[in-house]
Amino acid sequence: MNNHDILKELAAVLEARKSESPDSSYVASLYAKPDKMLEKIGEEAVETIIAAKNNDREQIIYETADLWFHSMVMLAQKGLCPDDILDELARRFGMSGHDEKASRHAQNKS
């Protein structure tokens, strides 16, 4: 399985967990408590930052995986999938970060 396939496979599992009981599935328990799901994203983001500040390669990988996982749970809960994010990254590719940010501000003013 290649890396892109794992995102699709995980997205399919997360979608399937929407119909599971919160008592039988960690992901379903997060869907049942959206605030807890969002708290987990914040917690994992902080832990990723700490790992990076400590230059701990293994912890950076572990915590980033947790951050991505919980972010994917939130995306699934919102009806989004990894391809939605990959499409946005592809749109931005080759564009200056300053230009991309300015284009978002211009869109928000219209």
Side-chain angles (χ1 to χ4, degrees), residues 33-47:
K33 296 181 180 176
D35 286 349
K36 178 67 174 168
M37 174 183 50
L38 298 175
E39 287 172 16
K40 285 300 293 181
I41 293 170
E43 174 188 320
E44 300 304 342
V46 168
E47 290 173 354

Side-chain angles (χ1 to χ4, degrees), residues 92 95-106:
R92 294 179 187 188
M95 181 186 296
S96 156
H98 295 297
D99 292 344
E100 192 281 325
K101 189 172 182 179
S103 75
R104 279 189 279 149
H105 290 298

Side-chain angles (χ1 to χ4, degrees), residues 33-92:
K33 296 181 180 176
D35 286 349
K36 178 67 174 168
M37 174 183 50
L38 298 175
E39 287 172 16
K40 285 300 293 181
I41 293 170
E43 174 188 320
E44 300 304 342
V46 168
E47 290 173 354
T48 300
I49 291 166
I50 292 168
K53 286 184 69 77
N54 291 337
N55 292 315
D56 186 331
R57 183 180 188 282
E58 293 302 315
Q59 277 303 112
I60 292 168
I61 293 168
Y62 181 84
E63 297 301 346
T64 301
D66 282 352
L67 177 58
W68 285 18
F69 174 83
H70 287 90
S71 295
M72 286 185 64
V73 172
M74 179 270 303
L75 290 171
Q77 192 259 347
K78 300 295 183 187
L80 298 167
C81 67
D83 282 340
D84 295 317
I85 308 310
L86 295 172
D87 288 346
E88 176 60 15
L89 290 172
R91 183 191 70 79
R92 294 179 187 188

